[in-house]
Amino acid sequence: MDKKRLIHAVAGSGKTKTIIDDLDIDKRNLIITYTTTNQEEIRKRVINKYGQLPERTYIFGFFEFLYKFCLVPYYDQRFLGIDFNYKPKNNFDKNFFNQQRVIHFRLSNFLINKSDIDFLGRIDYFFDCVYIDEVQDFESYDFDWIKSLSNLNAKVWLLGDFYQKTYSTSRDGNKGSGIHKDRAKWLKELESFELDETSLMESYRCPANICDFVREKMKIQIFHHDENTIQSTVKFIDNQTEIDCIMSDDKIKKLFYQKSYNYNCNGQNWGDSKGGEFSDVCVILNPKTLDCFKKEHLSDLVPQTKNKFYVACTRTKGNLYFISEESINEYKKE
């Protein structure tokens, strides 16, 4: 297999395990991910396997790596960190810095366009293998920076699931806005990486009929790793007694389109549940999704909603229930 790979990893397919199993601790390894939660989870699992973090393996958050490893070593001047709160003054605002802080959504652009910063050469000098986790979350100039890694001599693996895009590393105007709404366009942009759609197409988390539901109703290709496992329940609940039983059972995670904090239950928002897994899940359907659900048009949901709904449905290791938002008004906090 080519040294530059884009590995499509469906929900629950063992993406993190794949990275950790591929590590050669005698080589110099770099693992980059976006969220702090995921960074710590990878670190914990690497330590669990090897007893400690291997001496030549480094795990970075994305902006931490850009700032500390790619930017700071090339400048004598002292920066004051990264500005994550900067708001552009107008459409002509192209500032890279604000009061000696680098603007986070311009950092990748700055690195790419500064001829005196050889971040690719520096990565090759220090690392043999580069793993980028949750690659679907990189947008705008951060996505351009990810694409530039195809020019490394080092081995580069990009791992992620286009349909699990619920975060965004950054946005800068309309830069790259259409790419992440169309899988074909996204793959075209990453064609310098060899596409692997088979290694991680099977979920170890979701039962077979959950995968069937996602594949048939949402047109997202996901399969269970063992078709002989016991089938779970996939059911829309409209009986009030059953609804009350589910809403009062804290062992069943309730996942909402938004504002889960408004309800008295063990709840979370669809997008925020990414990375989690639960014994049983109840997805609360907002009006638009409920309409698509009843008409069997879930595959026609707008990309952002479809992605979050897919994430919500694939958090379960057991049963998957659906309840309409309008049927649980009595559970709203006063």
Side-chain angles (χ1 to χ4, degrees), residues 24-42:
D24 181 343
I25 60 174
D26 292 324
K27 292 185 176 180
R28 302 168 303 165
N29 302 298
L30 168 64
I31 303 172
I32 296 175
T33 190
Y34 173 41
T35 67
T36 301
T37 300
N38 207 36
Q39 184 182 357
E40 291 308 311
E41 176 64 18
I42 294 172

Side-chain angles (χ1 to χ4, degrees), residues 93-109:
D93 181 353
K94 301 300 180 183
N95 291 329
F96 289 111
F97 298 92
N98 179 42
Q99 298 179 345
Q100 289 187 271
R101 294 181 182 272
V102 60
I103 299 168
H104 90 281
F105 59 84
R106 299 264 167 81
L107 180 49
S108 291
N109 188 17

